[in-house]
Amino acid sequence: MKIMRTTKIANIIKSILIIALKDMKSLIREKTIFSIIFMLLFITSFATVLTIGILLLYNPEIINFKDNRDIKVAFVGNAPLLEKIVGGIKYSSIDDAMADFYDGKVDAVVWLPEENLKERNVIDVILPKDETTTVKTILYLKEKFIQYEKTLRRLNGIPPEISFSIYNLDFKRIHVPENFSSVYEFIYVVLIPLLVLTVAIISAGLFIDITSEEYERKTAYVLLSTPVNVVSILLGKIVVSLSILVFLTVFWILILIFNGISIKNLYLVFLLSLSLGIFFLSISMVVASIFPDRNRSQLLFSMISVALVTLSYISPKMPSGLITRVCINGYFSFYEVLGYITFATLTFISSYIFSKKSFENFLRKPC
Amino acid sequence: MLLKISLLEIKKIEKKYGRKTSTAILLAIVFIIFSAVVSAKYGINSDKFIYKISSEYYIVNDPAFIYYDYNFGDSLKMIKYEEIDLYLGRTYIVTDGDSKSMSSADRLINTIKKQFEYELYLKYGEKAFPVLLNIHYLRREKQNITQIFSPLDAEKEHIDKNEYSKEFPKDKESSLNVIKETRKEDIKSFTILKETINIKPTTQEFELPSTFSPPSLLSKILYGFIFIIPPYFLMQVFASSLMEDRISRRIEVIIASPTNGHKIILGKMLPYIIASIIFLIITSIIFSVNSLIYILPPILFLFSLHAYISSTARSYKEMTFLLVVLNLMVISFLFLPTIFSGSIPFSKLSPVTLLLYSSEGEKISFYDYLLSTAHFLVMSVFLFYLSGRAMNIEILNSNDNLLLKTCNILRKTLKNKVNLLLASVTLIPFVFFIEFFLIFMLFIFPLSIALIVVLALAAFIEEFAKGMLIFSSIKTNNENNDENNVAREKVGYLYINAIIVGFGFFVGEKLLTFIGILKDYYMLALSNLLILPLLLHIASCIVFAYFCRRNFILAVFLASTLHFTYNYMIVGWYL
């Protein structure tokens, strides 16, 4: 009896692997897997462009633009203190300054008709629109205006600023680039969760495609005429989706590590990615079993996925928040991760039971 | 016949999307709207509790930080073992210098500064903010890009004194009057946003020096997604429907009817395009902006793209993944320029930028509109035409990959020299679209290497595109379409086709110059030279034609090498 049971299990596993290999071969033959890899590379490159672009807005020197010209500022008005701080070329009238501004002889115009050392000063700043030097000009002027504000505060007995020095563990002073946190947080708060969710959705969407294709091409009935049952077909498709999920997860983790982005708690990040993938796979299984054709099932699955991705960023407890905290080694509890794993497992089991019944029912109908 | 096909498609949708499906879709829409509203209300909060700090002196009002109660000595140990990220002292911060601790230090300092300004306001009122900035961004004459690369040469540039007079240009007077008028208004009060302790002046668009930063439409990007994402679902349904008809072979019945491929594609596409237009009109009314004229061209392009991929893909899987990648590229092309609008001129390549500018009340010129939409319209027409030609049983049932199928479709299309010339002109927007992504190279490599990589890849992309046309134009008697075994063809025709493709590509490039697309990228487009680019394109096409009889890849490589050498020499000469 034991031997018969073992043989039966072995046969089921063999059937599952045959189905899974069939679909994997098809993926490789159609080179579909390469388009997914290209997409992940594209997302990470796009994110690199975006993060450097955001940094560029605050620090143009970062990409070594050879814009070595000094910034030329036209100054108009009776404001000796501001004039001393900003520097620039003095103009007697705003009309002359604007004429040279439009001629391209100056990069900006600063206009303060009358300086008031005790009260508020409203300064008009004219800058060019959609020009490559605009960013550098803004950063130059920002520094001057901050200096001006501090000077006025000091003159009026108001503390000008608060400053903190930053030291490393050897008590050497270190410099932190401005807005460093914007770039860093973009990678861990937006990009990494997006990669996890994208891979999860792609793998789950793949399940719908490979299942609906069997149904629409009627090849499912051909398969059922062989010693393969519905359970083997279903599990075979699940194995393909999970294999792609694992492969893509490892792939994006490697890309990020190769690009110098450190990911803490690697095994927990991997488990979380797997859990989210299984959760989305559960949704796709239910949708595909209710609507076996690709048209409706992919549409519904896409709509649900868009809504879930949007919601995942609204709270630190949601998937994106937890992924961020885990991979950045922020504040999190192992039980949160365990909770997601348990939830995903339970969802998967219930979806499997539901979809197995549904698939069995509609495959029993004549084709 | 066209309307009949559209009506058949609508009936198919009605039959497929019965009560059960409609209910499910309705619930999904409600779920999406719910998630959008909730997200808009709460924003991104997944950045909470990410930094661990300790301090005996302060607690800062920022949920990104979790506080630990360690003394100075213990804190240093905890930092060393990466249990916490930094220690906040009375006037100093201690970190271990890695990326995370530097990021936490930067965020902490920003938060402290904000809190400091808030405390200043509570104690001193408006006197704590003696400087307000009234920023005006004004358009002026286009900057020559040589000023970026060769600042010394820019200074030597001759300025025609008659063109630039000292008198204030009359068309700019209105801007100056607006600036003068705004000075007369007083600032009434400040608004304190208590949740974020941000202090902002209420009147007009004034800035404080600390908040003065480069302009960006980044915060409005989501606004642009509202117009693009819903039609995307319709495209998905259309693509699935077409693929379904192919798999079930229903399409063969329609092909057998007295109609042509283009009518089939248009007939199937029409209900979805009309639905998209209705959606765009409704959203335009809701948001009081004319989204239809800006968003319709990219929507039409996406529909044509979906039509082409679903006509040529071998399976659902292939179709899904190709469309995911291509859609991602198109979305990036639409939104990346928008993110940097206000700082970089090429932001106007995207119609989404113009849509957002228009929503802010800015007037959009016809030239800018043409610049951002013409390439989408040309690509839509070309892809639509190819999709129609793909409605051929041999092509639909072929197991060739996308590139080979494209060659086969082009082979059936390029029946004469005029078609070949038009096709080579129409290649330009596709090449331009792909070359746009070469900008990524500038951010991945150091500038000196990036320039070489960009020139090499640009050469490869252009030669590959031209090569495909030349290759496809070869009429073959051989049933084997293996690229390495091109059938015999009169050598003269091959080289004539190569010259036509080279000439057509050159004409397409210069058309772009005439409508000023590449005027700002003067040097990179080499637009001032006419003879040399013409000779280059013809020469590289002839090189390809000579070698393609042996090996397609070798031919592309050699043509690209010639093209790259030319580009490198010209760029070097200008620099």
Side-chain angles (χ1 to χ4, degrees), chain A residues 19-37 202-203 205-207 209-211 213 236-245 247-248, chain B residues 314-322:
Chain A
I19 301 288
L21 268 168
K22 170 183 89 70
D23 285 319
M24 289 295 273
K25 274 185 189 166
S26 160
L27 275 174
I28 293 165
R29 191 179 56 239
E30 289 172 0
K31 299 185 177 52
T32 314
I33 195 80
F34 295 111
S35 41
I36 309 168
I37 291 171
I202 286 172
S203 318
L206 178 65
F207 176 85
D209 279 340
I210 55 180
T211 317
E213 213 158 41
K237 305 295 180 192
I238 290 169
V239 163
V240 171
S241 299
L242 289 177
S243 307
I244 295 295
L245 172 68
F247 172 73
L248 291 178
Chain B
R314 290 170 285 189
S315 67
Y316 275 132
K317 294 187 294 299
E318 190 175 44
M319 181 187 81
T320 303
F321 291 115
L322 281 173

Side-chain angles (χ1 to χ4, degrees), chain A residues 123-315:
Chain A
I123 305 171
D124 280 287
V125 184
I126 296 106
L127 293 156
K129 188 162 189 169
D130 287 342
E131 287 189 20
T132 45
T133 52
T134 307
V135 173
K136 193 167 179 180
T137 310
I138 288 172
L139 296 176
Y140 171 82
L141 287 174
K142 177 174 178 160
E143 203 187 300
K144 302 296 177 191
F145 292 136
I146 288 175
Q147 203 182 331
Y148 184 55
E149 185 183 58
K150 284 180 196 170
T151 310
L152 288 178
R153 279 179 178 169
R154 230 178 261 121
L155 287 172
N156 290 291
I158 297 171
E161 62 175 335
I162 189 166
S163 65
F164 278 77
S165 306
I166 306 173
Y167 298 95
N168 62 15
L169 288 170
D170 296 327
F171 294 100
K172 283 192 182 138
R173 219 163 150 175
I174 56 175
H175 168 70
V176 176
E178 199 181 323
N179 281 94
F180 184 83
S181 57
S182 305
V183 174
Y184 186 83
E185 286 172 19
F186 177 78
I187 293 171
Y188 288 91
V189 175
V190 178
L191 173 66
I192 290 178
L194 193 63
L195 283 170
V196 170
L197 290 166
T198 304
V199 160
I201 291 168
I202 286 172
S203 318
L206 178 65
F207 176 85
I208 292 177
D209 279 340
I210 55 180
T211 317
S212 57
E213 213 158 41
E214 300 280 17
Y215 173 74
E216 289 188 21
R217 288 188 199 260
K218 316 287 184 209
T219 48
Y221 299 98
V222 175
L223 280 173
L224 285 173
S225 66
T226 65
V228 158
N229 56 23
V230 174
V231 169
S232 301
I233 297 173
L234 191 57
L235 286 174
K237 305 295 180 192
I238 290 169
V239 163
V240 171
S241 299
L242 289 177
S243 307
I244 295 295
L245 172 68
V246 167
F247 172 73
L248 291 178
T249 303
V250 169
F251 186 76
W252 71 252
I253 289 175
L254 287 174
I255 296 177
L256 291 183
I257 293 173
F258 183 73
N259 277 295
I261 295 169
S262 137
I263 298 175
K264 310 281 184 194
N265 305 304
L266 215 48
Y267 74 100
L268 285 178
V269 170
F270 184 77
L271 279 174
L272 254 181
S273 304
L274 215 57
S275 307
L276 280 170
I278 290 171
F279 173 69
F280 276 96
L281 179 60
S282 309
I283 297 173
S284 70
M285 277 162 60
V286 169
V287 170
S289 62
I290 298 173
F291 305 103
D293 59 289
R294 198 249 182 208
N295 203 324
R296 293 180 292 172
S297 49
Q298 273 292 13
L299 173 66
L300 276 164
F301 178 69
S302 308
M303 292 173 88
I304 295 168
S305 302
V306 163
L308 286 172
V309 168
T310 317
L311 284 173
S312 73
Y313 285 92
I314 62 166
S315 160

Side-chain angles (χ1 to χ4, degrees), chain A residues 30 32 57 66 95 101 106 120-121 123-125 129 131-132 165 167 181 185 209 213 216 294 302, chain B residues 51 93 106-107 126 128 130 134 136 139-140 143 148 176 183 214 236 240 315-316 320-321 343 362:
Chain A
E30 289 172 0
T32 314
L57 291 179
K66 280 190 201 173
D95 295 321
F101 171 79
V106 292
R120 187 193 302 131
N121 293 274
I123 305 171
D124 280 287
V125 184
K129 188 162 189 169
E131 287 189 20
T132 45
S165 306
Y167 298 95
S181 57
E185 286 172 19
D209 279 340
E213 213 158 41
E216 289 188 21
R294 198 249 182 208
S302 308
Chain B
Y51 300 122
I93 292 168
D106 179 60
R107 181 154 179 164
E126 289 177 8
N134 191 6
H136 310 272
R139 238 171 262 293
R140 54 182 189 177
Q143 184 188 37
I148 302 297
L176 181 58
R183 288 214 60 83
Q236 207 182 9
S240 290
S315 67
Y316 275 132
T320 303
F321 291 115
S343 316
E362 197 176 309

Side-chain angles (χ1 to χ4, degrees), chain B residues 411-459:
Chain B
R411 199 164 280 151
K412 291 183 189 311
T413 310
L414 301 172
K415 288 181 181 165
N416 54 49
K417 308 289 179 238
V418 173
N419 283 0
L420 186 60
L421 182 68
L422 279 173
S424 49
V425 172
T426 327
L427 268 186
I428 293 292
F430 290 98
V431 165
F432 180 65
F433 174 77
I434 298 169
E435 284 181 347
F436 168 81
F437 294 99
L438 294 182
I439 205 165
F440 286 21
M441 300 298 131
L442 292 175
F443 295 89
I444 294 168
F445 299 106
L447 193 62
S448 51
I449 298 173
L451 206 54
I452 294 172
V453 171
V454 167
L455 291 177
L457 285 174

